[in-house]
Amino acid sequence: MLLFTHLCHGLLSWRKHPSPPPAAPAAEPDLFLTVEPMWWAAAAVLFAAVVLCNKHPEWRSVGSRLSVLWLFNYPAGGLPPPEIPKRKTFLEVSDISVERIHADKGGLGIPTSFLYWHWAMVLVYGGLFAAIFFATTPLGSAFPYLTLLHKLVVWFNAWESLGLGVIHGPLHGKMAPPFQDWWYRLTPGTMKYNAPFMAFLPMRRNHADVLVQAT
């Protein structure tokens, strides 16, 4: 009887206090997050370096030699603009342009070297991102798609901030130099555009703006 009482008590206690489920295996930490203090330290060093460089008289000519004007030495595939008589309406000019594009010996008239540069930069963009992603992201049994998305957004904004995105290159008229967007973002006194809800801020960059861009 005593044994039966202890057995019933044990069963009731087990029902009231069930054993906790096995803990899920701890996820491997993201290397990017584990070195976050290092990123902040590097950003602070970059900001200090930018402030010092801004005071140097040669700062305004930094990057001026990064020119792609040499692409004009390879004009194959390019065509001169079509001849458009004067006093033509917008629709008539559009018709002439469309006819030129669809002609057997027509086309957009963009030199092949310009297109090669454009698509080569796309490959560089994707290749560098893939290398950085796989070097800084531990891969488990499931592919980290959310981490891929997060890092792609950061990489895209960094690429554009350096002036290497859609705002550079011969297809956008940025020939000499095409990589100057970062210069404006890191130079106090340059003009900027504020969002409508931040109209109270000055329209020229100060050191706080440069700090934000550096981080």
Side-chain angles (χ1 to χ4, degrees):
M1 187 63 180
L2 184 60
L3 179 61
F4 178 76
T5 303
H6 281 286
L7 180 60
C8 291
H9 179 72
L11 290 175
L12 291 175
S13 300
W14 176 79
R15 291 180 63 86
K16 291 181 181 179
H17 306 283
S19 59
E28 297 183 8
D30 191 332
L31 182 59
F32 181 81
L33 297 179
T34 57
V35 297
E36 185 177 1
M38 297 177 58
W39 287 107
W40 284 106
V45 172
L46 175 61
F47 172 68
V50 168
V51 172
L52 292 176
C53 291
N54 283 332
K55 301 181 180 301
H56 197 277
E58 296 295 329
W59 172 253
R60 292 187 173 274
S61 61
V62 171
S64 59
R65 296 181 181 180
L66 297 175
S67 171
V68 293
L69 287 171
W70 54 268
L71 291 173
F72 283 106
N73 297 330
Y74 307 94
L79 294 174
E83 295 183 3
I84 300 178
K86 296 181 178 180
R87 297 184 179 181
K88 289 291 184 179
T89 64
F90 175 77
L91 292 178
E92 291 173 334
V93 172
S94 300
D95 291 338
I96 295 174
S97 302
V98 171
E99 183 180 359
R100 154 68 177 275
I101 291 174
H102 291 279
D104 294 336
K105 296 184 179 180
L108 294 176
I110 300 175
T112 307
S113 58
F114 287 16
L115 298 176
Y116 283 163
W117 176 271
H118 174 79
W119 290 111
M121 290 300 295
V122 173
L123 295 177
V124 171
Y125 172 88
L128 287 178
F129 172 74
I132 294 176
F133 174 77
F134 288 109
T136 60
T137 307
L139 300 179
S141 57
F143 188 81
Y145 290 101
L146 188 58
T147 302
L148 172 67
L149 177 61
H150 290 167
K151 293 187 177 182
L152 184 59
V153 171
V154 174
W155 177 252
F156 173 80
N157 284 276
W159 191 261
E160 291 291 334
S161 297
L162 291 173
L164 299 171
V166 297
I167 60 174
H168 105 280
L171 294 185
H172 300 274
K174 296 290 185 69
M175 306 293 292
F179 315 104
Q180 60 189 4
D181 186 59
W182 60 269
W183 186 91
Y184 292 98
R185 294 175 183 268
L186 298 179
T187 302
T190 54
M191 297 183 65
K192 65 174 182 177
Y193 174 77
N194 293 325
F197 60 88
M198 302 177 68
F200 59 91
L201 294 177
M203 296 296 290
R204 291 185 179 275
R205 290 183 176 88
N206 52 35
H207 286 87
D209 297 309
V210 175
L211 176 62
V212 171
Q213 294 294 333
T215 54

